[in-house]
Amino acid sequence: AVLMCRGKAVRDFTGPDCRFVNFKKGEAVYVYYKLIGEPTELWAGSVGSDFGYFPKDLLEINHNYTNEELELPTDVSFGYF
């Protein structure tokens, strides 16, 4: 996976199930995938040693690592975990 960007959580997030990653406001979040085709766009990334999905609007991007965006159809991407 290509590390796309790093951001800071703008508020606490607890996901609905184990495919999601939980974080607290201010934590660093590293983004690896951007998922398309959902009503609320989800990104996939890591917080500490945890990996999972989160809504992209909860992240304030503060560093981009690549200009290449990796977008995956949502139905395919669940196979990566």
Side-chain angles (χ1 to χ4, degrees):
V2 178
L3 181 60
M4 293 198 302
C5 57
R6 184 186 73 222
K8 185 174 72 174
V10 296
R11 64 177 173 83
D12 294 1
F13 173 68
T14 303
D17 61 47
C18 64
R19 292 173 302 194
F20 289 80
V21 66
N22 303 329
F23 48 71
K24 299 262 185 267
K25 181 179 178 177
E27 281 192 301
V29 181
Y30 293 86
V31 182
Y32 292 93
Y33 300 110
K34 297 181 180 183
L35 309 185
I36 51 177
E38 283 288 305
T40 55
E41 282 184 64
L42 295 177
W43 286 358
S46 62
V47 179
S49 59
D50 297 326
F51 190 86
Y53 297 112
F54 57 89
K56 71 168 192 175
D57 52 1
L58 299 188
L59 202 60
E60 180 185 294
I61 301 301
N62 45 31
H63 190 81
N64 279 305
Y65 293 101
T66 177
N67 294 323
E68 244 179 89
E69 295 212 344
L70 180 60
E71 294 192 329
L72 300 168
T74 309
D75 55 341
V76 173
S77 56
F78 284 102
Y80 281 91
F81 303 111

